[in-house]
Each structure stands twice: as C-alpha cells, then as structure tokens.
Amino acid sequence: MNSKLYHTYRLSKNKSCKEPLIILLHGYGSNENDLFSFKDFFNENYNIFSLRAPLTIYDGMYAWYDIYFENNVKSFDQAKAIISSKSIAHEIKIICEEYNCDEKRVTVIGFSQGAILGYSLALSNPGLIKNLVALSGYVEEKIIEFNTKKTQTSIYVSHGQNDETIPFLESKKTLEILDQKGIFYEFNSFNQSHGVNKENLNSFLNWLKNKY
C-alpha cells in the first residue's frame, strides 16, 4: 500500500462487495488510538481507518500542524495544515482503491484539529466524502480552497458549551461561514468541555445511521 500516514484499522467482514469507509482524525497532542475507541459502535461491515498525524510532539503525541502562541496571540503553520489536508485526501483515495471501499460512502470523523482538517477536506474537495462529523472544531478559511462546485457533503457539527480549548464562540463563527456558503449542516451543543461525552457520542452515531 502506497501510504504516507501511519494508521490502525478494522476491515469490513463483508468481502463480497464494496462497503463504507470511516476515516478518524484525532486532535492535537493525541494519536490514532484515541478515536479508534469508537470502532465497536459502528456496523461490523464498515471499514474503519484511524490516521496518525505526521508531526511528533512527544512520545505518543502527534499533530497535523504546529500551533504557536506569542503574547497570547494564537497562530498556526498554515502551509503544513494545507499539506496535511491534501495528504489525508490522497490517503482516502489510496485506501478506497487498496481495500475495495465504497468511494461514494466515505465518512470523516474529526475531533478538534482533526475536525478543522475535516472541514478543509469537505469544502476543498467536493465529492470526496459523503459525510463529515466535526467535533469541537471550526472552519479555518485560510486552509480551504473553496470550489465553485458546492460540496454535497452532509455535515454534523457539535461543540461543548464549556470548551476552553476551542471556545464555543468559534462554532458560531463556523455556522455563519457555512450559512454564507449555502452549506447545509446539523448543529448540536452539549454541556461538556473539550471532549465527547456520551450524549454527544450517541447524537452523532444516530445522525450517521440515517446516512447509510
């Protein structure tokens, strides 16, 4: 497999036809095992791939791009974020071909930094993914190449009302951008900080069930 990103995965038990692909994108400072813990909640015939970000922060801690703080001002490595987004898009195509996944039924589930890249994937590459579950992230317009062809990706957005890592206000700004672009979505907020509680988990799982 001509893969550039390390990953862990679980293949569909059904080998007779193409089955859906779920791509999991962890947040800053985490790793591929984090969201892979969701695997048992999905249909056994789904192909599940959890990707590891390419930048090592510490042992077992990875990032899709660097984040900087100077004088309480936050910035990030825009070039690396774009490279990571394109690398993930390429990885999705490789996985679909190599493992005979249904390229028309690809779902990306991203948390935090993974959600930010999920938006980039969906909005820069119309037709690449069917569904996006964006957990505790936001739309970063600097890393999106808005296409003249509007994305048809179904988008689930959720955010913790008590999130101090990516403030709840960021989700409101994201909804404004999606509205301006005429992009449909479902938004849910939860009484949680920067994470995914049981209510949030059940919410997006139920949303996904109606997409297949």
Side-chain angles (χ1 to χ4, degrees), residues 158-169:
S158 70
H159 215 102
Q161 299 161 0
N162 308 311
D163 194 332
E164 295 182 353
T165 303
I166 298 180
F168 185 66
L169 180 61

Side-chain angles (χ1 to χ4, degrees), residues 98-112:
E98 182 76 14
Y99 292 97
N100 197 34
C101 302
D102 188 347
E103 65 278 1
K104 297 187 182 300
R105 291 189 291 168
V106 177
T107 294
V108 169
I109 301 175
F111 175 75
S112 193

